[in-house]
PDB file of all heavy atoms in Angstrom:
ATOM      1  N   TYR A  11     -45.527 -43.449  42.292  1.00  0.00           N
ATOM      2  CA  TYR A  11     -46.051 -43.429  43.670  1.00  0.00           C
ATOM      3  C   TYR A  11     -47.588 -43.579  43.552  1.00  0.00           C
ATOM      4  O   TYR A  11     -48.261 -42.611  43.260  1.00  0.00           O
ATOM      5  CB  TYR A  11     -45.737 -42.122  44.379  1.00  0.00           C
ATOM      6  CG  TYR A  11     -44.270 -41.727  44.335  1.00  0.00           C
ATOM      7  CD1 TYR A  11     -43.807 -40.779  43.426  1.00  0.00           C
ATOM      8  CD2 TYR A  11     -43.395 -42.249  45.240  1.00  0.00           C
ATOM      9  CE1 TYR A  11     -42.481 -40.378  43.427  1.00  0.00           C
ATOM     10  CE2 TYR A  11     -42.036 -41.893  45.245  1.00  0.00           C
ATOM     11  CZ  TYR A  11     -41.610 -40.950  44.313  1.00  0.00           C
ATOM     12  OH  TYR A  11     -40.283 -40.562  44.266  1.00  0.00           O
ATOM     13  N   VAL A  14     -49.288 -41.531  40.811  1.00  0.00           N
ATOM     14  CA  VAL A  14     -48.393 -40.505  40.354  1.00  0.00           C
ATOM     15  C   VAL A  14     -47.225 -41.127  39.584  1.00  0.00           C
ATOM     16  O   VAL A  14     -46.496 -41.950  40.160  1.00  0.00           O
ATOM     17  CB  VAL A  14     -47.822 -39.634  41.504  1.00  0.00           C
ATOM     18  CG1 VAL A  14     -46.852 -38.623  41.016  1.00  0.00           C
ATOM     19  CG2 VAL A  14     -48.933 -38.962  42.278  1.00  0.00           C
ATOM     20  N   ALA A  16     -43.998 -40.418  38.413  1.00  0.00           N
ATOM     21  CA  ALA A  16     -43.014 -39.350  38.686  1.00  0.00           C
ATOM     22  C   ALA A  16     -41.821 -39.327  37.667  1.00  0.00           C
ATOM     23  O   ALA A  16     -41.316 -38.286  37.315  1.00  0.00           O
ATOM     24  CB  ALA A  16     -42.490 -39.417  40.056  1.00  0.00           C
ATOM     25  N   ALA A  35     -37.371 -28.121  36.985  1.00  0.00           N
ATOM     26  CA  ALA A  35     -38.142 -27.340  37.950  1.00  0.00           C
ATOM     27  C   ALA A  35     -38.544 -28.216  39.129  1.00  0.00           C
ATOM     28  O   ALA A  35     -38.375 -29.424  39.130  1.00  0.00           O
ATOM     29  CB  ALA A  35     -39.374 -26.764  37.249  1.00  0.00           C
ATOM     30  N   ASN A  36     -39.038 -27.535  40.155  1.00  0.00           N
ATOM     31  CA  ASN A  36     -39.664 -28.151  41.316  1.00  0.00           C
ATOM     32  C   ASN A  36     -40.675 -29.223  40.821  1.00  0.00           C
ATOM     33  O   ASN A  36     -41.564 -28.911  40.039  1.00  0.00           O
ATOM     34  CB  ASN A  36     -40.368 -27.031  42.022  1.00  0.00           C
ATOM     35  CG  ASN A  36     -40.671 -27.384  43.474  1.00  0.00           C
ATOM     36  OD1 ASN A  36     -40.319 -28.498  43.914  1.00  0.00           O
ATOM     37  ND2 ASN A  36     -41.266 -26.468  44.200  1.00  0.00           N
ATOM     38  N   GLY A  37     -40.550 -30.456  41.306  1.00  0.00           N
ATOM     39  CA  GLY A  37     -41.542 -31.504  40.976  1.00  0.00           C
ATOM     40  C   GLY A  37     -41.318 -32.191  39.639  1.00  0.00           C
ATOM     41  O   GLY A  37     -42.070 -33.018  39.218  1.00  0.00           O
ATOM     42  N   ALA A  38     -40.187 -31.851  38.966  1.00  0.00           N
ATOM     43  CA  ALA A  38     -39.911 -32.490  37.692  1.00  0.00           C
ATOM     44  C   ALA A  38     -39.601 -33.994  37.808  1.00  0.00           C
ATOM     45  O   ALA A  38     -39.647 -34.748  36.852  1.00  0.00           O
ATOM     46  CB  ALA A  38     -38.744 -31.776  37.036  1.00  0.00           C
ATOM     47  N   GLY A  39     -39.153 -34.415  39.035  1.00  0.00           N
ATOM     48  CA  GLY A  39     -38.833 -35.832  39.220  1.00  0.00           C
ATOM     49  C   GLY A  39     -37.377 -36.093  39.602  1.00  0.00           C
ATOM     50  O   GLY A  39     -36.956 -37.211  39.584  1.00  0.00           O
ATOM     51  N   LYS A  40     -36.611 -34.968  39.848  1.00  0.00           N
ATOM     52  CA  LYS A  40     -35.165 -35.086  40.058  1.00  0.00           C
ATOM     53  C   LYS A  40     -34.876 -35.972  41.288  1.00  0.00           C
ATOM     54  O   LYS A  40     -34.042 -36.854  41.202  1.00  0.00           O
ATOM     55  CB  LYS A  40     -34.544 -33.724  40.230  1.00  0.00           C
ATOM     56  CG  LYS A  40     -34.824 -32.776  39.036  1.00  0.00           C
ATOM     57  CD  LYS A  40     -34.207 -31.400  39.299  1.00  0.00           C
ATOM     58  CE  LYS A  40     -34.635 -30.665  40.524  1.00  0.00           C
ATOM     59  NZ  LYS A  40     -36.031 -30.292  40.547  1.00  0.00           N
ATOM     60  N   SER A  41     -35.490 -35.695  42.403  1.00  0.00           N
ATOM     61  CA  SER A  41     -35.240 -36.463  43.607  1.00  0.00           C
ATOM     62  C   SER A  41     -35.620 -37.943  43.453  1.00  0.00           C
ATOM     63  O   SER A  41     -34.971 -38.865  43.958  1.00  0.00           O
ATOM     64  CB  SER A  41     -35.992 -35.889  44.798  1.00  0.00           C
ATOM     65  OG  SER A  41     -35.520 -34.572  45.125  1.00  0.00           O
ATOM     66  N   SER A  42     -36.726 -38.136  42.697  1.00  0.00           N
ATOM     67  CA  SER A  42     -37.143 -39.506  42.466  1.00  0.00           C
ATOM     68  C   SER A  42     -36.063 -40.319  41.739  1.00  0.00           C
ATOM     69  O   SER A  42     -35.849 -41.466  42.014  1.00  0.00           O
ATOM     70  CB  SER A  42     -38.489 -39.545  41.672  1.00  0.00           C
ATOM     71  OG  SER A  42     -39.495 -38.921  42.417  1.00  0.00           O
ATOM     72  N   GLU A  83     -31.214 -34.378  49.847  1.00  0.00           N
ATOM     73  CA  GLU A  83     -31.802 -33.010  49.892  1.00  0.00           C
ATOM     74  C   GLU A  83     -32.066 -32.615  51.331  1.00  0.00           C
ATOM     75  O   GLU A  83     -32.492 -33.468  52.143  1.00  0.00           O
ATOM     76  CB  GLU A  83     -33.157 -33.023  49.076  1.00  0.00           C
ATOM     77  CG  GLU A  83     -33.790 -31.747  48.948  1.00  0.00           C
ATOM     78  CD  GLU A  83     -35.004 -31.823  48.024  1.00  0.00           C
ATOM     79  OE1 GLU A  83     -35.224 -32.779  47.296  1.00  0.00           O
ATOM     80  OE2 GLU A  83     -35.791 -30.829  48.023  1.00  0.00           O
ATOM     81  N   GLU A 155     -29.783 -31.332  45.291  1.00  0.00           N
ATOM     82  CA  GLU A 155     -30.012 -29.888  45.570  1.00  0.00           C
ATOM     83  C   GLU A 155     -29.081 -29.326  46.633  1.00  0.00           C
ATOM     84  O   GLU A 155     -29.533 -28.776  47.635  1.00  0.00           O
ATOM     85  CB  GLU A 155     -31.460 -29.688  46.048  1.00  0.00           C
ATOM     86  CG  GLU A 155     -32.509 -30.162  45.081  1.00  0.00           C
ATOM     87  CD  GLU A 155     -33.055 -29.131  44.177  1.00  0.00           C
ATOM     88  OE1 GLU A 155     -32.488 -27.998  44.151  1.00  0.00           O
ATOM     89  OE2 GLU A 155     -34.047 -29.426  43.449  1.00  0.00           O
ATOM     90  N   GLN A 187     -32.010 -27.428  41.101  1.00  0.00           N
ATOM     91  CA  GLN A 187     -32.949 -26.465  40.510  1.00  0.00           C
ATOM     92  C   GLN A 187     -32.198 -25.227  40.020  1.00  0.00           C
ATOM     93  O   GLN A 187     -32.662 -24.519  39.103  1.00  0.00           O
ATOM     94  CB  GLN A 187     -33.898 -26.021  41.619  1.00  0.00           C
ATOM     95  CG  GLN A 187     -35.236 -26.767  41.631  1.00  0.00           C
ATOM     96  CD  GLN A 187     -36.223 -26.185  42.585  1.00  0.00           C
ATOM     97  OE1 GLN A 187     -36.624 -25.006  42.406  1.00  0.00           O
ATOM     98  NE2 GLN A 187     -36.523 -26.946  43.613  1.00  0.00           N
TER      99      GLN A 187
HETATM  100  P1  ATP E 301     -38.210 -31.128  44.298  1.00  0.00           P
HETATM  101  O1  ATP E 301     -37.154 -30.211  43.842  1.00  0.00           O
HETATM  102  O2  ATP E 301     -39.453 -30.404  44.844  1.00  0.00           O
HETATM  103  O3  ATP E 301     -37.741 -32.228  45.166  1.00  0.00           O
HETATM  104  P2  ATP E 301     -38.123 -32.938  42.141  1.00  0.00           P
HETATM  105  O4  ATP E 301     -37.850 -32.529  40.738  1.00  0.00           O
HETATM  106  O5  ATP E 301     -37.055 -33.544  42.921  1.00  0.00           O
HETATM  107  O6  ATP E 301     -38.754 -31.777  42.921  1.00  0.00           O
HETATM  108  P3  ATP E 301     -39.699 -35.233  42.932  1.00  0.00           P
HETATM  109  O7  ATP E 301     -39.535 -34.958  44.355  1.00  0.00           O
HETATM  110  O8  ATP E 301     -38.963 -36.397  42.383  1.00  0.00           O
HETATM  111  O9  ATP E 301     -39.352 -33.992  42.020  1.00  0.00           O
HETATM  112  O10 ATP E 301     -41.262 -35.402  42.630  1.00  0.00           O
HETATM  113  C1  ATP E 301     -41.801 -35.782  41.357  1.00  0.00           C
HETATM  114  C2  ATP E 301     -43.269 -35.954  41.466  1.00  0.00           C
HETATM  115  O11 ATP E 301     -43.611 -37.040  42.332  1.00  0.00           O
HETATM  116  C3  ATP E 301     -44.031 -34.771  42.062  1.00  0.00           C
HETATM  117  O12 ATP E 301     -45.281 -34.681  41.444  1.00  0.00           O
HETATM  118  C4  ATP E 301     -44.205 -35.156  43.520  1.00  0.00           C
HETATM  119  O13 ATP E 301     -45.378 -34.537  44.042  1.00  0.00           O
HETATM  120  C5  ATP E 301     -44.425 -36.676  43.401  1.00  0.00           C
HETATM  121  N1  ATP E 301     -43.954 -37.344  44.609  1.00  0.00           N
HETATM  122  C6  ATP E 301     -42.691 -37.341  45.079  1.00  0.00           C
HETATM  123  N2  ATP E 301     -42.533 -38.141  46.165  1.00  0.00           N
HETATM  124  C7  ATP E 301     -43.798 -38.692  46.375  1.00  0.00           C
HETATM  125  C8  ATP E 301     -44.354 -39.617  47.307  1.00  0.00           C
HETATM  126  N3  ATP E 301     -43.603 -40.190  48.274  1.00  0.00           N
HETATM  127  N4  ATP E 301     -45.624 -39.957  47.185  1.00  0.00           N
HETATM  128  C9  ATP E 301     -46.445 -39.424  46.163  1.00  0.00           C
HETATM  129  N5  ATP E 301     -45.970 -38.526  45.285  1.00  0.00           N
HETATM  130  C10 ATP E 301     -44.655 -38.189  45.331  1.00  0.00           C
END
Side-chain angles (χ1 to χ4, degrees):
Y11 306 101
V14 178
N36 199 1
K40 305 182 299 298
S41 296
S42 298
E83 184 172 347
E155 304 265 10
Q187 265 188 64

